[in-house]
Amino acid sequence: MLDKVAIGPVSARIYQGADYGKGPPIVLYLHGGAFLDSDKNVDRPVAISLAKAGAIVVAADYSSLSGNLFPQALEVAFSVFSYLANKRAGLGDRKSLLFVAGEEAGGNVAAGVALKARDQMPDALDGQVLISPLLDPFMGTSSIRKADAIGMRRRWTEGWSHYLSGGGCHPYAAPCLCSRISGVAPALIFTAEDDPLHDETIGYGARLKQAGVGVRQHVLPAGTGWPSIYGGKSDGALDWQENVSRHFGSFLRDVSVQPQLH
């Protein structure tokens, strides 16, 4: 429990890999769930994969306080981010790098945190990890047609309707519609060839690159069980975890060498 967060106590689970060293990076992790999931008593495979790369991962329950509504969900997540930015020595040390990460709906909120951090806490965020972020409320890409096959189209439609019912389509709520994305923290972006969120993920990465943001982008092959990270049906073997951990470890090393490279 993070009991000194400005917005109020926030439940969190800490994941810590065995190989973290001095000054370990700290990752605020935001779970997926199509803006509908509020179950905080489950393990988060993505958070475990990030921790295996040597990070201390804070999996914060942004849903319970916010009802998975915008802007409340972003406010809770950003409040936790602000707390970690000011108190990072309590988990790592004062030199620990700070990242925000999330998959699917959590990837949306993570991208929103990165935008808000640029606007309100410049240089506090060292990197963002966007894992098949749910970014397009219009669900208008070509790859989203695969959503029916994995049982996610209706869930994502309902999730977007729920999330945006609290505050309209603000750029922080749908980062792919944000007209000003320059100056945000470097991004590590993941998707897969059989991911219905492939096109909006790749499109956002391309826009970040065009805006001068450092981007490392990885597209996993089909058949790795990728849709399972956000509850989609998948016939593939679940072997994406090592890829996420390895590429995140590489991203950490790159950012630590040039932490101001935004």
Side-chain angles (χ1 to χ4, degrees):
M1 179 71 72
L2 304 176
D3 57 2
K4 295 184 179 180
V5 176
I7 205 166
V10 176
S11 177
R13 180 178 292 190
I14 308 298
Y15 295 86
Q16 187 170 294
D19 296 330
Y20 79 93
K22 184 178 181 181
I26 298 168
V27 181
L28 168 59
Y29 163 78
L30 304 169
H31 64 81
F35 304 119
L36 299 171
D37 177 21
S38 60
D39 186 357
K40 59 180 179 292
N41 297 312
V42 296
D43 274 326
R44 304 292 182 182
V46 172
I48 293 171
S49 296
L50 298 176
K52 286 182 177 178
I56 295 175
V57 181
V58 180
D61 172 24
Y62 66 90
S63 296
S64 294
L65 279 178
S66 69
N68 280 318
L69 296 171
F70 180 84
Q72 293 93 325
L74 179 62
E75 290 172 353
V76 173
F78 191 77
S79 184
V80 176
F81 164 73
S82 301
Y83 170 83
L84 294 175
N86 292 319
K87 303 290 186 180
R88 68 183 75 193
L91 281 173
D93 66 29
R94 62 185 181 84
K95 294 184 179 180
S96 290
L97 299 178
L98 180 59
F99 299 81
V100 63
E103 85 271 359
E104 196 233 20
N108 174 300
V109 181
V113 167
L115 289 166
K116 192 168 182 177
R118 174 203 60 189
D119 296 339
Q120 298 190 13
M121 296 180 67
D123 301 323
L125 182 64
D126 294 293
Q128 54 182 316
V129 183
L130 307 180
I131 302 169
S132 291
L134 190 62
L135 299 171
D136 179 14
F138 301 110
M139 297 176 63
T141 66
S142 294
S143 66
I144 204 70
R145 297 170 187 166
K146 301 176 183 177
D148 284 324
I150 66 167
M152 292 300 295
R153 177 179 289 276
R154 180 175 179 180
R155 183 165 170 80
W156 282 334
T157 300
E158 292 175 350
W160 271 119
S161 179
H162 175 77
Y163 186 58
L164 298 180
S165 65
C169 203
H170 188 281
Y172 288 169
C176 72
L177 303 179
C178 184
S179 62
R180 189 175 67 87
I181 58 176
S182 61
V184 297
L188 173 64
I189 296 176
F190 289 97
T191 182
E193 292 176 354
D194 55 351
D195 178 17
L197 301 176
H198 171 279
D199 289 359
E200 58 199 84
T201 299
I202 295 297
Y204 191 63
R207 289 193 60 222
L208 289 173
K209 288 180 182 179
Q210 291 170 1
V213 177
V215 175
R216 291 124 176 118
Q217 190 165 269
H218 301 282
V219 181
L220 277 66
T224 62
W226 186 257
S228 67
I229 69 170
Y230 45 69
K233 299 175 185 176
S234 178
D235 295 328
L238 301 182
D239 57 0
W240 53 263
Q241 293 95 333
E242 192 278 332
N243 278 289
V244 169
S245 184
R246 175 165 51 85
H247 288 304
F248 179 55
S250 178
F251 183 60
L252 290 178
R253 290 189 291 273
D254 289 346
V255 173
S256 65
V257 171
Q258 295 180 301
Q260 300 305 316
L261 181 58
H262 289 199

